[in-house]
């Protein structure tokens, strides 16, 4: 295992948020869902393309809590600009399950 210096971790800005909108993303090369996430008053709503179609349908995601890296540079995914990286863990088959904060954490709360 390679060890990272704590400064590498501290440089990541990981925040809690709530999915406000979700849509299929048929133009993506790999199956994905477009997400709009409320990250609180300081950051606002940001977009992400997430390859989470094995476990989630767009209509089931609205209102769900997520965690996201908010300080990566935006990335163009086909016709969609992804502004944040929503975090998750692979299941036994490699399909992604979302990492979720507790419900009582405010939108925009930073991972400490």
């Amino acid at each position: 295992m390679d060890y990272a210096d704590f400064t590498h971790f501290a440089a990541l800005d990981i925040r809690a948020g709530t999915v406000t909108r979700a849509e299929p993303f048929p133009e993506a090369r790999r199956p994905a869902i477009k997400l709009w996430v409320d990250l609180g008053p300081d950051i606002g709503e940001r977009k992400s393309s997430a390859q989470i179609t094995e476990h989630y349908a767009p209509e089931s995601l609205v209102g769900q809590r997520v965690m996201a890296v908010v300080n990566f540079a935006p990335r163009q995914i086909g016709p969609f600009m992804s502004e944040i990286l929503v975090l998750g863990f692979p299941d036994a088959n490699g399909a992604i399950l979302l990492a979720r904060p507790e419900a009582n954490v405010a939108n925009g709360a930073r991972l400490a």
Side-chain angles (χ1 to χ4, degrees):
M1 172 185 332
D2 291 330
Y3 290 97
D5 187 276
F6 183 77
T7 57
H8 294 113
F9 173 75
L12 296 176
D13 190 354
I14 301 172
R15 304 285 182 127
T18 302
V19 176
T20 59
R21 183 172 149 201
E23 297 177 359
F25 190 8
E27 304 91 353
R29 278 187 278 154
R30 294 173 52 188
I33 297 173
K34 297 177 193 177
L35 301 174
W36 285 259
V37 180
D38 177 1
L39 294 157
D42 292 339
I43 297 172
E45 186 177 73
R46 298 285 172 93
K47 303 179 295 187
S48 184
S49 170
Q51 296 173 355
I52 56 174
T53 57
E54 291 292 321
H55 291 291
Y56 307 97
E59 59 274 8
S60 72
L61 289 164
V62 174
Q64 296 295 312
R65 308 283 292 150
V66 296
M67 296 171 61
V69 177
V70 300
N71 65 335
F72 284 150
R75 186 171 175 205
Q76 189 73 43
I77 310 291
F80 188 74
M81 181 63 72
S82 188
E83 302 169 315
I84 59 174
L85 176 66
V86 174
L87 301 175
F89 297 95
D91 67 11
N93 296 314
I96 301 300
L97 293 163
L98 292 169
R100 300 172 189 242
E102 290 289 329
N104 60 352
V105 173
N107 286 343
R110 186 170 183 175
L111 182 70

